[in-house]
Amino acid sequence: MRHFGHIAPEVRQRLFHQEPCAFTADSPARLLSAALGATLYSPATRPRLADDIVRQACNGVVSMVLCLEDSIDDADVEPGEKNLVRQFADLAARPGAEPPLLFIRVRTPEQIPDLVRRLGPAVRLLSGFVLPKFTEERGIPFLEALTAAENSSGRRLFAMPVLESPELLYRESRVETLEGISRAVGKYRDRVLALRLGVTDFCSSYGLRRAPDMTAYDVQIVASVIADVVNMLGRADGTGFTVTGPVWEYFRVSERMFKPQLRQSPFLEVQAVSLREKLIEHAMDGLLREISLDQANGLLGKTCIHPSHVLPVHALSVVSHEEFSDAQDILRPERGGGGVLRSAYTNKMNEVKPHRAWAERTLLRAEVFGVANEDVGFVELLAAGIPG
């Protein structure tokens, strides 16, 4: 699989200075954690789930979570498990099927070894499990169960803990909770692919819900948690993890309080005015702003609950030609001693030592999402990725 692999090769060649790399579920964890992109959630109870998975893969989805937790009723857990086993068997029997990275969101640690056993040979399609309401106390049993299931099946399985518990939100317990989470995921570092933020649960603790005109960063109590999570768990010194962006809940807006947040000029320049109107109609201007703020705050990838959210996440994850040029200049071997240099675009200062970690992360993102050609922006990437 590869990002933008669903568009024609000649179109990719026109868009990209460096095309996204190909990868598989067996690629190195460092590459996969950066490549998750827009992780699409789907209830595990969907009767044609295997068909849905194949269709989404053909539309550019590279990671999916099949949910047995909050997205389904308590009474549907057992039927959901049975459906998952059937759908995985169906998918495994399809010749040539190339599904995305597949994860199962469970409710209890006991579900992990049970599902791995019941999946049988189809477990080869499973990349891991999403662990809900993760704290040190609740999370360790999940991680122990995952390790045991991996050993029994012989299949490499990753964990993606969801940080969403009230203890993490409340000021009086936040630091202690983060320290515990850090100990837990540090102990199982090789198993933890990424940390996911459960912002909807954070908001529910205070009876809040952000409007489509607002981003998670406009809700100050949520923004403070994101900042502290990145501060303690997203560091670039080798101790950090990939932290993914929160879910965007909207896909159509009936009424607006504020003006749309998309400038007209980038769309006028490439004759894509109708695309701008469509994005605004479907609340995508707010989503695009939140994705930009995710990246500015150290997050990579995003939880998605609607297929229309996938392409914007991927389009804004592509590295611009200017970013790529700066990162390459900073990491040149002859710059190892540090110093300051003017960017090749002659519009900024690149300071070698302080910008090194940014440059390394940028080149990793460039590997998995590609580098846009010099005259290509996010509008062209969005337009090219929309099915005709």
Coordinates of all heavy atoms in Angstrom, one line a residue, residues 173-255:
S173 N -4.9 15.3 38.9 CA -4.4 14.0 38.7 C -3.7 13.9 37.4 O -3.2 12.8 37.1 CB -5.6 13.0 38.8 OG -6.6 13.3 37.8
R174 N -3.6 14.9 36.6 CA -3.0 14.8 35.3 C -1.6 14.4 35.2 O -1.2 13.5 34.5 CB -3.2 16.1 34.5 CG -2.7 16.0 33.0 CD -2.9 17.3 32.3 NE -4.3 17.8 32.4 CZ -4.7 19.0 31.9 NH1 -3.8 19.8 31.4 NH2 -6.0 19.3 32.0
V175 N -0.7 15.0 36.0 CA 0.7 14.7 35.9 C 1.0 13.3 36.4 O 1.7 12.6 35.7 CB 1.5 15.7 36.7 CG1 3.0 15.3 36.8 CG2 1.4 17.1 36.1
E176 N 0.3 12.9 37.5 CA 0.5 11.6 38.0 C 0.0 10.5 36.9 O 0.7 9.5 36.7 CB -0.2 11.4 39.3 CG -0.1 10.0 39.9 CD -0.9 9.9 41.2 OE1 -1.5 10.9 41.7 OE2 -0.9 8.7 41.7
T177 N -1.1 10.8 36.3 CA -1.6 9.9 35.3 C -0.7 9.8 34.1 O -0.4 8.7 33.6 CB -3.0 10.4 34.8 OG1 -3.9 10.4 36.0 CG2 -3.6 9.4 33.8
L178 N -0.2 11.0 33.6 CA 0.8 11.0 32.5 C 2.0 10.2 32.9 O 2.6 9.5 32.0 CB 1.1 12.4 32.1 CG 0.1 13.1 31.2 CD1 0.4 14.6 31.1 CD2 0.1 12.4 29.8
E179 N 2.5 10.4 34.1 CA 3.7 9.6 34.5 C 3.5 8.1 34.4 O 4.3 7.4 34.0 CB 4.2 10.1 35.9 CG 4.8 11.5 35.9 CD 5.1 12.0 37.3 OE1 4.5 11.4 38.2 OE2 5.8 13.0 37.4
G180 N 2.3 7.7 34.9 CA 2.0 6.3 34.9 C 1.8 5.8 33.4 O 2.3 4.7 33.1
I181 N 1.2 6.5 32.6 CA 1.1 6.1 31.2 C 2.5 6.0 30.5 O 2.8 5.1 29.8 CB 0.2 7.2 30.4 CG1 -1.2 7.1 30.9 CG2 0.3 6.9 28.9 CD1 -2.1 8.2 30.3
S182 N 3.3 7.0 30.9 CA 4.7 7.0 30.3 C 5.4 5.7 30.8 O 6.1 5.1 30.0 CB 5.4 8.2 30.8 OG 6.8 8.2 30.3
R183 N 5.3 5.3 32.0 CA 5.9 4.1 32.5 C 5.4 2.9 31.7 O 6.1 2.0 31.3 CB 5.7 3.9 34.0 CG 6.5 4.8 34.9 CD 6.4 4.4 36.3 NE 5.1 4.5 36.9 CZ 4.6 5.6 37.5 NH1 5.4 6.7 37.6 NH2 3.4 5.6 38.0
A184 N 4.1 2.8 31.6 CA 3.4 1.6 30.9 C 3.9 1.5 29.5 O 4.3 0.4 29.0 CB 1.9 1.7 31.0
V185 N 3.7 2.6 28.7 CA 4.1 2.5 27.3 C 5.6 2.4 27.1 O 6.1 1.8 26.1 CB 3.5 3.7 26.5 CG1 2.0 3.6 26.5 CG2 4.0 5.0 27.0
G186 N 6.4 2.9 28.0 CA 7.8 2.8 27.9 C 8.3 1.4 28.1 O 9.2 0.9 27.4
K187 N 7.6 0.6 29.0 CA 7.9 -0.8 29.3 C 7.6 -1.6 28.0 O 8.3 -2.6 27.8 CB 7.1 -1.3 30.5 CG 7.4 -2.7 30.9 CD 6.6 -3.1 32.1 CE 6.8 -4.6 32.5 NZ 6.0 -5.0 33.6
Y188 N 6.6 -1.2 27.3 CA 6.2 -2.0 26.1 C 6.4 -1.2 24.8 O 5.6 -1.3 23.9 CB 4.7 -2.4 26.2 CG 4.4 -3.4 27.3 CD1 4.2 -3.0 28.6 CD2 4.4 -4.8 27.0 CE1 3.9 -4.0 29.6 CE2 4.1 -5.7 28.0 CZ 3.9 -5.3 29.3 OH 3.6 -6.3 30.3
R189 N 7.5 -0.4 24.8 CA 7.8 0.5 23.7 C 7.7 -0.2 22.3 O 7.1 0.4 21.4 CB 9.1 1.1 23.9 CG 9.6 2.0 22.7 CD 10.8 2.8 23.1 NE 10.6 3.7 24.1 CZ 10.0 4.9 23.9 NH1 9.7 5.3 22.7 NH2 9.8 5.8 24.9
D190 N 8.2 -1.4 22.2 CA 8.2 -2.1 20.9 C 6.9 -2.4 20.4 O 6.7 -2.7 19.2 CB 9.1 -3.3 21.0 CG 10.6 -3.0 21.1 OD1 11.0 -1.8 20.9 OD2 11.4 -3.9 21.5
R191 N 5.9 -2.5 21.3 CA 4.5 -2.9 21.0 C 3.6 -1.7 20.7 O 2.5 -1.9 20.1 CB 3.9 -3.7 22.1 CG 4.7 -5.0 22.4 CD 4.3 -6.2 21.5 NE 4.6 -5.9 20.1 CZ 5.8 -6.1 19.6 NH1 6.8 -6.4 20.3 NH2 6.0 -5.9 18.3
V192 N 4.0 -0.5 21.1 CA 3.1 0.7 21.0 C 3.4 1.4 19.7 O 4.5 2.0 19.6 CB 3.3 1.6 22.2 CG1 2.4 2.9 22.1 CG2 2.9 0.9 23.5
L193 N 2.5 1.4 18.8 CA 2.7 2.0 17.5 C 2.4 3.5 17.6 O 3.1 4.3 16.9 CB 1.7 1.3 16.5 CG 2.0 1.7 15.0 CD1 3.4 1.3 14.6 CD2 0.9 1.1 14.1
A194 N 1.3 3.9 18.3 CA 1.0 5.3 18.4 C 0.1 5.5 19.6 O -0.6 4.5 20.0 CB 0.3 5.8 17.1
L195 N 0.0 6.7 20.0 CA -1.0 7.1 21.1 C -2.1 7.9 20.5 O -1.8 8.9 19.7 CB -0.3 7.9 22.2 CG 0.9 7.2 22.8 CD1 1.6 8.2 23.8 CD2 0.5 5.9 23.5
R196 N -3.3 7.6 20.8 CA -4.5 8.3 20.2 C -5.2 9.1 21.3 O -5.3 8.7 22.4 CB -5.4 7.3 19.6 CG -4.7 6.3 18.6 CD -5.7 5.6 17.7 NE -6.1 6.6 16.6 CZ -5.4 6.7 15.5 NH1 -4.3 6.0 15.2 NH2 -5.9 7.6 14.6
L197 N -5.7 10.3 20.9 CA -6.3 11.2 21.8 C -7.9 11.1 21.7 O -8.4 11.2 20.6 CB -5.9 12.6 21.5 CG -4.5 13.0 21.9 CD1 -4.1 14.3 21.2 CD2 -4.4 13.1 23.4
G198 N -8.5 10.8 22.8 CA -10.0 10.7 22.8 C -10.6 12.0 23.3 O -11.1 12.1 24.4
V199 N -10.6 13.0 22.4 CA -11.1 14.4 22.8 C -12.6 14.4 23.1 O -13.0 15.2 23.9 CB -10.7 15.4 21.7 CG1 -11.4 16.7 21.9 CG2 -9.2 15.6 21.8
T200 N -13.4 13.6 22.4 CA -14.8 13.5 22.7 C -15.1 13.2 24.1 O -16.0 13.7 24.8 CB -15.5 12.6 21.7 OG1 -15.3 13.0 20.4 CG2 -17.0 12.5 22.0
D201 N -14.3 12.2 24.6 CA -14.5 11.8 26.1 C -14.0 12.9 27.0 O -14.6 13.2 28.0 CB -13.7 10.5 26.3 CG -14.4 9.3 25.9 OD1 -14.9 9.3 24.8 OD2 -14.5 8.3 26.7
F202 N -13.0 13.7 26.6 CA -12.5 14.8 27.4 C -13.7 15.8 27.5 O -14.0 16.3 28.6 CB -11.3 15.5 26.8 CG -10.1 14.7 26.9 CD1 -9.0 14.9 25.9 CD2 -9.8 13.8 27.8 CE1 -7.9 14.2 26.0 CE2 -8.7 13.1 27.9 CZ -7.7 13.3 27.0
C203 N -14.3 16.1 26.4 CA -15.4 17.1 26.4 C -16.6 16.7 27.2 O -17.2 17.5 27.9 CB -15.8 17.4 25.0 SG -14.6 18.4 24.0
S204 N -16.8 15.4 27.2 CA -18.0 14.8 27.9 C -17.9 15.0 29.4 O -18.9 15.1 30.1 CB -18.3 13.4 27.5 OG -17.3 12.5 28.1
S205 N -16.7 15.0 29.9 CA -16.5 15.2 31.3 C -17.0 16.5 31.8 O -17.2 16.7 33.0 CB -15.0 15.0 31.7 OG -14.6 13.7 31.4
Y206 N -17.1 17.5 30.9 CA -17.6 18.8 31.3 C -18.8 19.3 30.5 O -19.2 20.4 30.5 CB -16.4 19.9 31.0 CG -15.3 19.7 32.0 CD1 -14.3 18.9 31.8 CD2 -15.3 20.5 33.2 CE1 -13.3 18.7 32.7 CE2 -14.3 20.3 34.1 CZ -13.3 19.5 33.9 OH -12.3 19.3 34.8
G207 N -19.5 18.3 29.9 CA -20.7 18.6 29.1 C -20.5 19.5 28.0 O -21.3 20.3 27.6
L208 N -19.3 19.4 27.3 CA -18.9 20.3 26.2 C -19.0 19.5 24.9 O -18.8 18.3 24.8 CB -17.5 20.8 26.4 CG -17.2 21.6 27.7 CD1 -15.7 21.9 27.8 CD2 -18.1 22.8 27.8
R209 N -19.2 20.3 23.8 CA -19.1 19.7 22.5 C -18.7 20.9 21.5 O -19.4 21.9 21.5 CB -20.4 19.1 22.0 CG -20.2 18.4 20.6 CD -21.5 17.7 20.3 NE -21.3 16.8 19.1 CZ -22.2 16.1 18.6 NH1 -23.4 16.1 19.0 NH2 -21.9 15.3 17.5
R210 N -17.5 20.8 20.9 CA -17.1 21.9 20.0 C -18.0 21.9 18.8 O -18.3 20.9 18.2 CB -15.6 21.7 19.7 CG -15.2 20.6 18.7 CD -13.7 20.5 18.7 NE -13.2 19.7 17.7 CZ -13.0 18.4 17.8 NH1 -13.4 17.7 18.9 NH2 -12.4 17.7 16.8
A211 N -18.3 23.2 18.4 CA -19.1 23.4 17.2 C -18.2 23.3 15.9 O -17.0 23.3 16.0 CB -19.7 24.8 17.3
P212 N -18.9 23.1 14.7 CA -18.1 23.0 13.5 C -17.2 24.2 13.2 O -16.3 24.2 12.3 CB -19.1 22.7 12.4 CG -20.4 23.2 13.0 CD -20.3 23.0 14.5
D213 N -17.5 25.4 13.8 CA -16.7 26.6 13.6 C -15.5 26.6 14.5 O -14.7 27.5 14.4 CB -17.6 27.8 13.9 CG -18.8 28.0 13.0 OD1 -18.6 28.1 11.8 OD2 -19.9 27.9 13.5
M214 N -15.4 25.6 15.4 CA -14.3 25.6 16.4 C -13.5 24.4 16.2 O -13.9 23.3 15.7 CB -14.9 25.5 17.8 CG -15.8 26.6 18.2 SD -14.9 28.2 18.5 CE -16.3 29.3 18.9
T215 N -12.2 24.5 16.6 CA -11.3 23.3 16.6 C -11.1 22.9 18.1 O -11.5 23.6 19.0 CB -9.9 23.7 16.0 OG1 -9.2 24.5 16.9 CG2 -10.1 24.4 14.7
A216 N -10.5 21.7 18.2 CA -10.1 21.2 19.6 C -9.3 22.2 20.3 O -9.4 22.3 21.6 CB -9.4 19.9 19.5
Y217 N -8.5 23.0 19.6 CA -7.6 24.0 20.2 C -8.3 25.2 20.7 O -7.7 26.0 21.4 CB -6.4 24.3 19.3 CG -5.7 23.0 18.8 CD1 -6.1 22.3 17.7 CD2 -4.7 22.5 19.6 CE1 -5.5 21.1 17.3 CE2 -4.1 21.3 19.3 CZ -4.5 20.6 18.1 OH -3.9 19.5 17.8
D218 N -9.6 25.4 20.3 CA -10.4 26.6 20.8 C -11.0 26.2 22.1 O -11.5 27.1 22.8 CB -11.4 26.9 19.7 CG -10.8 27.5 18.5 OD1 -10.0 28.4 18.6 OD2 -11.2 27.0 17.4
V219 N -11.1 24.9 22.4 CA -11.6 24.5 23.7 C -10.4 24.4 24.7 O -9.7 23.4 24.6 CB -12.4 23.2 23.6 CG1 -13.0 22.8 24.9 CG2 -13.4 23.2 22.5
Q220 N -10.3 25.4 25.5 CA -9.0 25.5 26.2 C -8.7 24.4 27.1 O -7.5 24.0 27.3 CB -9.0 26.8 27.0 CG -9.0 28.1 26.2 CD -7.7 28.1 25.3 OE1 -6.6 28.1 25.9 NE2 -7.9 28.1 24.0
I221 N -9.7 23.8 27.8 CA -9.4 22.7 28.7 C -8.9 21.5 27.9 O -8.1 20.7 28.4 CB -10.7 22.3 29.5 CG1 -10.3 21.4 30.7 CG2 -11.7 21.7 28.7 CD1 -11.3 21.4 31.8
V222 N -9.4 21.3 26.6 CA -8.9 20.2 25.8 C -7.5 20.6 25.3 O -6.6 19.7 25.3 CB -9.9 20.0 24.6 CG1 -9.2 19.1 23.6 CG2 -11.2 19.4 25.1
A223 N -7.3 21.8 24.8 CA -6.0 22.2 24.3 C -4.9 22.0 25.4 O -3.8 21.6 25.0 CB -6.0 23.7 23.9
S224 N -5.2 22.2 26.6 CA -4.2 22.1 27.7 C -3.8 20.6 27.9 O -2.6 20.3 28.1 CB -4.7 22.7 29.0 OG -5.8 21.9 29.6
V225 N -4.8 19.7 27.7 CA -4.4 18.3 27.8 C -3.6 17.9 26.6 O -2.6 17.2 26.8 CB -5.7 17.4 27.8 CG1 -5.3 15.9 28.0 CG2 -6.6 17.8 29.0
I226 N -3.9 18.3 25.4 CA -3.1 18.0 24.2 C -1.7 18.4 24.5 O -0.7 17.7 24.2 CB -3.7 18.6 23.0 CG1 -5.1 17.9 22.7 CG2 -2.8 18.4 21.8 CD1 -5.8 18.6 21.5
A227 N -1.5 19.7 24.9 CA -0.2 20.2 25.2 C 0.6 19.4 26.2 O 1.8 19.1 26.0 CB -0.3 21.7 25.7
D228 N 0.0 18.9 27.2 CA 0.7 18.2 28.3 C 1.0 16.8 27.8 O 2.1 16.2 28.1 CB -0.2 18.1 29.5 CG -0.2 19.4 30.3 OD1 0.7 20.3 30.0 OD2 -1.0 19.6 31.2
V229 N 0.1 16.2 27.0 CA 0.4 14.8 26.4 C 1.6 14.9 25.5 O 2.5 14.1 25.6 CB -0.8 14.3 25.6 CG1 -0.5 13.1 24.8 CG2 -1.9 13.9 26.6
V230 N 1.6 15.9 24.6 CA 2.8 16.1 23.7 C 4.1 16.4 24.5 O 5.1 15.8 24.2 CB 2.5 17.1 22.7 CG1 3.8 17.4 21.8 CG2 1.4 16.7 21.7
N231 N 3.9 17.2 25.5 CA 5.0 17.6 26.4 C 5.7 16.4 27.0 O 7.0 16.2 26.9 CB 4.6 18.5 27.5 CG 5.7 19.2 28.3 OD1 6.7 18.6 28.5 ND2 5.5 20.4 28.7
M232 N 4.9 15.4 27.5 CA 5.5 14.3 28.2 C 5.7 13.0 27.3 O 6.6 12.2 27.6 CB 4.6 13.9 29.4 CG 4.7 15.0 30.5 SD 3.8 14.5 32.0 CE 5.0 13.2 32.6
L233 N 4.9 12.9 26.3 CA 4.9 11.6 25.5 C 5.2 11.8 24.1 O 5.4 10.8 23.3 CB 3.5 11.0 25.6 CG 3.1 10.6 27.1 CD1 1.6 10.1 27.1 CD2 4.0 9.5 27.6
G234 N 5.4 13.0 23.6 CA 5.7 13.2 22.2 C 7.0 13.9 21.9 O 7.2 14.5 20.8
R235 N 8.0 13.7 22.8 CA 9.3 14.4 22.7 C 10.1 13.8 21.5 O 10.0 12.6 21.2 CB 10.1 14.3 24.0 CG 9.3 15.0 25.1 CD 10.0 14.9 26.5 NE 9.2 15.5 27.5 CZ 9.6 15.5 28.8 NH1 10.7 14.9 29.2 NH2 8.7 16.0 29.7
A236 N 11.0 14.6 21.0 CA 11.8 14.3 19.8 C 13.2 13.8 20.2 O 14.1 13.7 19.4 CB 11.9 15.4 18.9
D237 N 13.3 13.4 21.5 CA 14.7 13.0 22.0 C 14.8 11.5 22.0 O 15.8 11.0 22.6 CB 14.9 13.6 23.4 CG 13.8 13.1 24.4 OD1 12.9 12.3 24.0 OD2 13.9 13.5 25.6
G238 N 13.9 10.8 21.4 CA 14.0 9.3 21.4 C 13.1 8.6 22.4 O 12.9 7.4 22.3
T239 N 12.6 9.4 23.3 CA 11.7 8.8 24.3 C 10.2 8.9 23.9 O 9.3 8.3 24.5 CB 11.8 9.5 25.7 OG1 11.4 10.9 25.6 CG2 13.3 9.5 26.1
G240 N 9.9 9.7 22.9 CA 8.5 10.0 22.5 C 7.9 9.0 21.6 O 8.5 8.1 21.1
F241 N 6.6 9.2 21.5 CA 5.8 8.3 20.6 C 5.0 9.2 19.6 O 4.9 10.4 19.8 CB 4.7 7.6 21.4 CG 5.3 6.6 22.4 CD1 5.7 7.0 23.6 CD2 5.5 5.3 22.0 CE1 6.3 6.1 24.5 CE2 6.0 4.4 22.9 CZ 6.4 4.8 24.2
T242 N 4.6 8.6 18.5 CA 3.6 9.3 17.6 C 2.3 9.5 18.3 O 1.8 8.6 18.9 CB 3.4 8.5 16.3 OG1 4.6 8.4 15.6 CG2 2.3 9.1 15.5
V243 N 1.9 10.8 18.4 CA 0.6 11.1 19.0 C -0.3 11.6 17.8 O 0.0 12.5 17.1 CB 0.7 12.2 20.0 CG1 -0.7 12.5 20.7 CG2 1.7 11.8 21.1
T244 N -1.5 11.0 17.7 CA -2.4 11.3 16.6 C -3.4 12.3 17.0 O -3.8 12.5 18.1 CB -3.1 10.0 16.1 OG1 -4.0 9.5 17.1 CG2 -2.1 8.9 15.7
G245 N -4.0 13.0 16.0 CA -4.9 14.1 16.2 C -6.3 13.6 16.6 O -6.7 12.4 16.2
P246 N -7.1 14.4 17.2 CA -8.4 14.0 17.7 C -9.4 13.9 16.5 O -9.2 14.5 15.4 CB -8.8 15.1 18.6 CG -8.1 16.3 18.1 CD -6.8 15.8 17.6
V247 N -10.5 13.2 16.8 CA -11.6 13.0 15.8 C -12.3 14.4 15.4 O -12.4 15.2 16.3 CB -12.6 12.0 16.3 CG1 -13.4 12.5 17.4 CG2 -13.5 11.5 15.1
W248 N -12.7 14.5 14.2 CA -13.5 15.6 13.7 C -14.9 15.0 13.5 O -15.1 14.1 12.8 CB -13.0 16.2 12.4 CG -13.8 17.3 11.9 CD1 -14.7 17.3 10.9 CD2 -13.8 18.7 12.4 NE1 -15.2 18.6 10.7 CE2 -14.7 19.4 11.6 CE3 -13.1 19.3 13.4 CZ2 -14.9 20.8 11.8 CZ3 -13.3 20.7 13.6 CH2 -14.2 21.4 12.8
E249 N -15.9 15.6 14.2 CA -17.2 15.0 14.3 C -18.2 15.3 13.2 O -19.2 14.7 13.0 CB -17.9 15.4 15.6 CG -17.1 14.9 16.8 CD -17.8 15.4 18.1 OE1 -18.8 16.1 18.0 OE2 -17.3 14.9 19.2
Y250 N -17.9 16.3 12.4 CA -18.9 16.9 11.4 C -18.6 16.5 10.0 O -17.5 16.4 9.6 CB -18.9 18.4 11.6 CG -19.3 18.9 12.9 CD1 -18.4 19.2 13.9 CD2 -20.7 19.0 13.3 CE1 -18.7 19.6 15.2 CE2 -21.1 19.4 14.6 CZ -20.1 19.7 15.5 OH -20.5 20.1 16.8
F251 N -19.7 16.3 9.2 CA -19.5 16.1 7.8 C -20.6 16.8 7.0 O -20.7 16.7 5.8 CB -19.5 14.6 7.4 CG -20.4 13.7 8.2 CD1 -21.7 13.5 7.7 CD2 -20.0 13.1 9.3 CE1 -22.6 12.7 8.4 CE2 -20.9 12.3 10.0 CZ -22.2 12.1 9.6
R252 N -21.4 17.6 7.6 CA -22.3 18.5 6.9 C -22.8 19.6 7.9 O -23.1 19.2 9.0 CB -23.5 17.8 6.3 CG -24.4 18.7 5.5 CD -25.6 18.0 4.8 NE -25.1 17.3 3.6 CZ -25.1 17.9 2.4 NH1 -25.4 19.2 2.3 NH2 -24.7 17.2 1.4
V253 N -22.9 20.8 7.5 CA -23.3 21.9 8.4 C -24.5 22.6 7.8 O -24.5 23.0 6.6 CB -22.2 22.9 8.6 CG1 -22.6 24.1 9.5 CG2 -21.0 22.2 9.2
S254 N -25.6 22.8 8.6 CA -26.8 23.4 8.1 C -26.8 24.9 8.3 O -27.4 25.6 7.6 CB -28.0 22.8 8.8 OG -27.9 22.9 10.2
E255 N -26.1 25.4 9.3 CA -26.1 26.8 9.6 C -24.7 27.2 10.2 O -24.1 26.4 11.0 CB -27.2 27.2 10.6 CG -27.3 28.7 10.8 CD -28.5 29.0 11.8 OE1 -29.1 28.0 12.3 OE2 -28.8 30.2 11.9

